[in-house]
Amino acid sequence: MNTGAWMRANLTTQGYRLSDGERRGLWLGLRFPTALCLALVVMGLALESALMIALMVPIGAVAGWSARHPFDHLWNHGVRHLVGGAELPPNPTRRRHAFKLATLWLAAVAALFAAGASTAALVLGGMLVAVCGLVTATNFCVPSRILAWLDGRRRKEAVA
């Protein structure tokens, strides 16, 4: 599978239905929210800051339970005009479910830091950084892939 087809498949798994032209036009914009979150989480982990990680939880909650990630608004109303990018579409349901999982993950990391379990927080946070880094770099979203697999299993069971 070529790179373009693989990227298209990754975005389709997240729930996007984009033409190749739309996908190419959104290559940076779709990465912006996760890249900014990634940078903030890495900073919070480096500082071992329960507060900084906890401040990311409401951002993730808004991203998971609304059609727009808060950082989508930064992109749509500011950054895209500076870089000549396309406006981001609303986030599909499966991508929002991934944000919900990230919200719980962030809350767990913050709680571990607050409880003094820094090593466990860093391990769990490191795993979050790896998953977020993967989706930012390649659009391959591990939670979306798992949800797609579960959806496929449910469909097969319903047919059987």
Side-chain angles (χ1 to χ4, degrees):
M1 180 182 297
N2 70 36
T3 303
W6 188 70
M7 292 288 197
R8 181 175 41 260
N10 290 342
L11 289 170
T12 299
T13 299
Q14 290 183 53
Y16 287 103
R17 301 292 180 255
L18 303 170
S19 70
D20 284 341
E22 289 170 323
R23 180 181 53 79
R24 282 189 297 275
L26 291 167
W27 77 270
L28 181 59
L30 288 173
R31 289 175 167 87
F32 179 79
T34 57
L36 187 50
C37 283
L38 177 62
L40 293 170
V41 170
V42 166
M43 189 182 319
L45 292 174
L47 297 172
E48 296 187 18
S49 173
L51 178 61
M52 187 164 182
I53 300 296
L55 290 173
M56 296 296 296
V57 171
I59 293 169
V62 170
W65 279 275
S66 70
R68 300 275 186 194
H69 190 292
F71 297 158
D72 287 357
H73 296 292
L74 287 176
W75 174 265
N76 283 341
H77 300 294
V79 177
R80 79 178 185 94
H81 298 291
L82 298 173
V83 299
E87 184 170 340
L88 290 173
N91 289 306
T93 301
R94 200 174 284 150
R95 182 171 167 105
R96 291 195 314 263
H97 289 333
F99 290 145
K100 290 172 189 170
L101 177 60
T103 301
L104 296 174
W105 207 331
L106 286 164
V109 172
L112 287 167
F113 274 137
S118 294
T119 301
L122 289 169
V123 168
L124 193 60
M127 292 168 42
L128 177 60
V129 164
V131 170
C132 186
L134 185 63
V135 74
T136 299
T138 68
N139 292 317
F140 184 90
C141 180
V142 173
S144 291
R145 182 66 63 180
I146 293 168
L147 290 169
W149 178 77
L150 290 171
D151 287 346
R153 287 184 53 102
R154 279 190 225 120
R155 275 189 226 111
K156 286 180 185 174
E157 289 173 2
V159 170

